[in-house]
Amino acid sequence: EKCVFSIPAPLIGAGDEFNVEYHSLSLSSLINSLGFDPVPLNEAYAVIISELQKAGDVTGLGFSFGAGLVNVAFVYKGMSLFEFSINRSGDFIDSQSAAACGVSESIINHIKENDLDLTEDEYEVSPEQRALIFTHKHIIKNTIKTVANTFEMRTNVNIIEPLPIIISGGTTLPKGFVETFKEILEQTDLPFEYTEVIAVEDRLTSVAKGC
């Protein structure tokens, strides 16, 4: 019986320090010793499959905004053309917002999970909420810019038809994240066209569902 498990993509700028292959092989060995056939699957690829549910004909750009990493995968007709991760996501938002306001990360995290609305006017909210709005916008802009740069650098990526964009992960849960993502996406000069932005319904379990 197969056991599909998720792995992150190589981290941009980390070199050999972030060895995905080593950990993938280690987990494969452990799973194999338990009598299963191990199958590693990129986390963002799993997000795409969880929504489109056709692994053989799946095409899309997937984003998994986790706690430590943003995982990105571009898949065309079931074939992964590029995968990477960025180490600016949920934890980065907490640490940067806390430092800006001079409060603890636990306070920032509580506000983020209970009171935050990214669509509010940043000058009519508390300093903590303002810092959170700014840092959320920063990671979204940074992620989209990195994707656009990757498209332009890869000579093997030449897609004519528009593709869907699928987003998931716990960092996308604050109110207004999807709207903010779409707004920044529309303001960015992209080297590709997209049909729609799909926010996965259950963003905490979509990777497991895709696997």
Side-chain angles (χ1 to χ4, degrees):
E1 186 177 355
K2 293 185 183 298
C3 176
V4 184
F5 63 98
S6 68
I7 58 171
L11 181 62
I12 285 183
D16 295 330
E17 298 174 14
F18 190 76
N19 194 329
V20 175
E21 186 67 18
Y22 172 80
H23 292 288
S24 178
L25 290 172
S26 298
L27 277 171
S28 292
S29 178
L30 174 62
I31 293 169
N32 190 60
S33 72
L34 298 173
F36 296 95
D37 180 17
V39 180
L41 180 65
N42 173 267
E43 182 178 317
Y45 195 152
V47 165
I48 299 173
I49 295 175
S50 75
E51 186 63 31
L52 303 182
Q53 298 181 0
K54 290 183 179 180
D57 192 35
V58 63
T59 294
L61 180 60
F63 294 86
S64 179
F65 288 85
L69 301 173
V70 181
N71 267 275
V72 181
F74 174 55
V75 180
Y76 182 70
K77 295 189 181 301
M79 181 172 57
S80 178
L81 296 187
F82 65 71
E83 302 171 350
F84 63 81
S85 61
I86 307 170
N87 65 346
R88 292 187 177 186
S89 197
D91 293 342
F92 177 85
I93 290 172
D94 291 351
S95 63
Q96 294 298 304
S97 300
C101 298
V103 298
S104 69
E105 290 185 26
S106 60
I107 291 176
I108 287 292
N109 188 262
H110 177 81
I111 295 171
K112 182 177 74 175
E113 294 182 354
N114 294 278
D115 303 319
L116 184 62
D117 183 348
L118 296 175
T119 63
E120 288 188 321
D121 186 337
E122 57 260 30
Y123 296 106
E124 295 184 2
V125 295
S126 69
E128 292 81 10
Q129 289 171 310
R130 183 181 309 123
L132 283 165
I133 291 172
F134 286 158
T135 48
H136 273 85
K137 288 182 177 179
H138 169 72
I139 68 149
I140 293 172
K141 287 179 181 178
N142 180 63
T143 300
I144 294 174
K145 181 180 178 181
T146 305
V147 170
N149 291 341
T150 303
F151 262 90
E152 292 174 344
M153 289 188 300
R154 300 292 179 95
T155 57
N156 66 323
V157 180
N158 185 19
I159 304 302
I160 299 175
E161 61 191 77
L163 53 97
I165 293 175
I166 299 96
I167 62 173
S168 187
T171 297
T172 69
L173 291 176
K175 185 177 180 181
F177 185 98
V178 177
E179 291 80 2
T180 303
F181 183 94
K182 290 179 179 179
E183 181 180 333
I184 293 174
L185 194 66
E186 291 171 359
Q187 295 170 353
T188 307
D189 185 18
L190 299 171
F192 60 91
E193 294 184 2
Y194 62 95
T195 57
E196 60 183 327
V197 175
I198 303 170
V200 175
E201 184 175 351
D202 192 342
R203 297 175 216 166
L204 293 180
T205 64
S206 60
V207 174
K209 180 182 176 184
C211 287

Coordinates of all heavy atoms in Angstrom, one line a residue, residues 89-105 107-109 111-112 116 127-136:
S89 N 6.9 33.7 6.1 CA 5.4 33.3 6.1 C 4.9 33.7 7.5 O 5.2 34.8 8.0 CB 5.3 31.8 5.8 OG 3.9 31.6 5.4
G90 N 4.1 32.8 8.1 CA 3.4 33.1 9.3 C 4.3 33.5 10.5 O 4.1 34.5 11.2
D91 N 5.4 32.8 10.7 CA 6.3 33.1 11.8 C 7.0 34.4 11.6 O 7.3 35.2 12.5 CB 7.4 32.0 12.0 CG 6.7 30.7 12.5 OD1 5.6 30.7 13.0 OD2 7.4 29.6 12.4
F92 N 7.4 34.7 10.3 CA 8.0 36.0 10.0 C 7.0 37.1 10.2 O 7.5 38.2 10.8 CB 8.4 35.9 8.5 CG 9.0 37.2 8.0 CD1 10.3 37.5 8.1 CD2 8.2 38.2 7.3 CE1 10.9 38.7 7.6 CE2 8.7 39.3 6.8 CZ 10.0 39.6 7.0
I93 N 5.8 37.0 9.9 CA 4.8 38.0 10.2 C 4.7 38.3 11.7 O 4.7 39.5 12.1 CB 3.4 37.5 9.7 CG1 3.4 37.6 8.2 CG2 2.3 38.4 10.3 CD1 2.1 36.9 7.6
D94 N 4.7 37.2 12.5 CA 4.6 37.4 14.0 C 5.8 38.1 14.5 O 5.7 39.1 15.3 CB 4.5 36.1 14.7 CG 3.1 35.4 14.4 OD1 2.2 36.1 13.8 OD2 2.9 34.2 14.8
S95 N 7.0 37.7 14.1 CA 8.3 38.2 14.7 C 8.5 39.7 14.2 O 8.9 40.6 15.1 CB 9.5 37.4 14.3 OG 9.6 37.4 12.9
Q96 N 8.2 40.0 13.0 CA 8.4 41.3 12.5 C 7.4 42.3 13.1 O 7.7 43.5 13.4 CB 8.3 41.4 10.9 CG 9.4 40.6 10.3 CD 10.8 41.2 10.6 OE1 11.1 42.3 10.3 NE2 11.7 40.3 11.1
S97 N 6.1 41.9 13.2 CA 5.1 42.7 13.7 C 5.4 43.0 15.2 O 5.2 44.1 15.7 CB 3.7 42.1 13.5 OG 3.5 41.9 12.2
A98 N 5.8 42.0 15.9 CA 6.1 42.1 17.4 C 7.2 43.1 17.6 O 7.2 43.9 18.5 CB 6.4 40.8 18.0
A99 N 8.3 43.0 16.8 CA 9.4 43.8 16.9 C 9.1 45.3 16.6 O 9.5 46.2 17.2 CB 10.5 43.4 15.9
A100 N 8.2 45.5 15.6 CA 7.8 46.8 15.2 C 7.0 47.5 16.3 O 7.1 48.7 16.5 CB 7.0 46.8 13.9
C101 N 6.2 46.7 17.1 CA 5.3 47.3 18.1 C 5.9 47.2 19.5 O 5.3 47.8 20.4 CB 4.0 46.6 18.1 SG 3.1 46.8 16.5
G102 N 7.0 46.4 19.7 CA 7.6 46.3 21.0 C 6.7 45.5 22.0 O 6.7 45.7 23.2
V103 N 6.0 44.5 21.4 CA 5.2 43.6 22.2 C 5.6 42.1 21.9 O 6.4 41.9 21.0 CB 3.7 43.7 21.9 CG1 3.2 45.1 22.3 CG2 3.4 43.4 20.5
S104 N 5.1 41.2 22.7 CA 5.5 39.8 22.5 C 4.8 39.2 21.3 O 3.8 39.7 20.8 CB 5.1 39.0 23.7 OG 3.7 38.9 23.9
E105 N 5.4 38.2 20.7 CA 4.9 37.5 19.6 C 3.5 36.8 19.9 O 2.7 36.6 19.1 CB 5.9 36.5 19.0 CG 7.1 37.1 18.4 CD 8.0 36.1 17.7 OE1 7.5 35.0 17.3 OE2 9.2 36.3 17.6
I107 N 1.2 38.0 21.9 CA 0.1 39.0 21.8 C -0.2 39.2 20.3 O -1.4 39.3 19.9 CB 0.6 40.3 22.4 CG1 0.7 40.1 24.0 CG2 -0.4 41.4 22.1 CD1 1.2 41.3 24.7
I108 N 0.8 39.4 19.5 CA 0.6 39.6 18.0 C -0.2 38.4 17.4 O -1.1 38.6 16.6 CB 2.0 39.8 17.3 CG1 2.5 41.1 17.6 CG2 1.8 39.6 15.8 CD1 1.8 42.3 17.1
N109 N 0.2 37.2 17.8 CA -0.4 36.0 17.3 C -1.9 36.0 17.7 O -2.8 35.6 16.9 CB 0.3 34.7 17.8 CG -0.2 33.5 17.1 OD1 -1.0 32.8 17.7 ND2 0.3 33.2 15.9
I111 N -3.9 38.6 18.4 CA -4.6 39.6 17.6 C -4.8 39.1 16.1 O -5.8 39.2 15.6 CB -3.8 40.9 17.6 CG1 -3.7 41.5 19.0 CG2 -4.4 41.9 16.6 CD1 -2.8 42.7 19.2
K112 N -3.7 38.5 15.6 CA -3.8 38.0 14.2 C -4.9 36.9 14.1 O -5.6 36.9 13.1 CB -2.5 37.3 13.8 CG -2.4 36.8 12.4 CD -1.0 36.3 12.0 CE -0.8 35.0 12.7 NZ 0.5 34.4 12.2
L116 N -7.9 40.4 13.5 CA -7.3 41.0 12.3 C -8.3 41.0 11.1 O -8.9 40.0 10.8 CB -6.0 40.3 12.0 CG -5.2 40.9 10.8 CD1 -4.8 42.4 11.1 CD2 -4.0 40.1 10.5
P127 N -1.9 49.9 16.6 CA -0.5 49.8 16.0 C -0.2 48.3 15.7 O 0.5 48.0 14.7 CB 0.4 50.3 17.1 CG -0.5 51.3 17.9 CD -1.9 50.7 17.8
E128 N -0.7 47.4 16.6 CA -0.4 46.0 16.3 C -1.1 45.5 15.1 O -0.5 44.8 14.3 CB -0.9 45.2 17.5 CG -0.1 45.4 18.8 CD -0.5 46.6 19.6 OE1 -1.6 47.2 19.2 OE2 0.1 47.0 20.5
Q129 N -2.4 45.9 14.9 CA -3.1 45.5 13.7 C -2.4 46.1 12.4 O -2.4 45.5 11.4 CB -4.6 45.9 13.8 CG -5.3 45.1 14.8 CD -6.7 45.6 15.1 OE1 -6.9 46.8 15.3 NE2 -7.7 44.8 15.0
R130 N -2.0 47.4 12.6 CA -1.3 48.0 11.4 C -0.1 47.3 11.0 O 0.2 47.1 9.8 CB -1.0 49.5 11.8 CG -0.4 50.3 10.7 CD 0.0 51.7 11.1 NE -1.2 52.3 11.8 CZ -1.2 52.8 13.0 NH1 -0.1 52.8 13.7 NH2 -2.2 53.4 13.5
A131 N 0.7 46.9 12.0 CA 1.9 46.2 11.7 C 1.6 44.8 11.0 O 2.3 44.4 10.1 CB 2.7 45.9 13.0
L132 N 0.6 44.2 11.5 CA 0.2 42.9 10.9 C -0.3 43.1 9.4 O 0.0 42.3 8.6 CB -0.9 42.3 11.7 CG -0.5 41.6 13.0 CD1 -1.7 41.3 13.9 CD2 0.3 40.3 12.7
I133 N -1.0 44.2 9.2 CA -1.5 44.4 7.8 C -0.3 44.7 6.9 O -0.2 44.1 5.8 CB -2.4 45.6 7.8 CG1 -3.8 45.3 8.5 CG2 -2.7 46.1 6.3 CD1 -4.7 46.5 8.7
F134 N 0.7 45.5 7.4 CA 1.9 45.8 6.6 C 2.7 44.5 6.3 O 3.1 44.3 5.1 CB 2.7 46.8 7.3 CG 2.2 48.2 7.3 CD1 2.6 49.1 8.2 CD2 1.3 48.6 6.3 CE1 2.1 50.4 8.2 CE2 0.8 49.9 6.3 CZ 1.2 50.8 7.2
T135 N 2.9 43.7 7.3 CA 3.7 42.5 7.1 C 3.0 41.4 6.2 O 3.7 40.7 5.5 CB 4.1 41.9 8.4 OG1 3.0 41.7 9.3 CG2 5.2 42.8 9.1
H136 N 1.7 41.3 6.4 CA 1.0 40.4 5.5 C 1.1 40.8 4.0 O 1.4 40.0 3.1 CB -0.5 40.4 5.8 CG -0.8 39.4 6.9 ND1 -0.7 39.6 8.2 CD2 -1.3 38.1 6.8 CE1 -1.1 38.6 8.9 NE2 -1.4 37.6 8.1

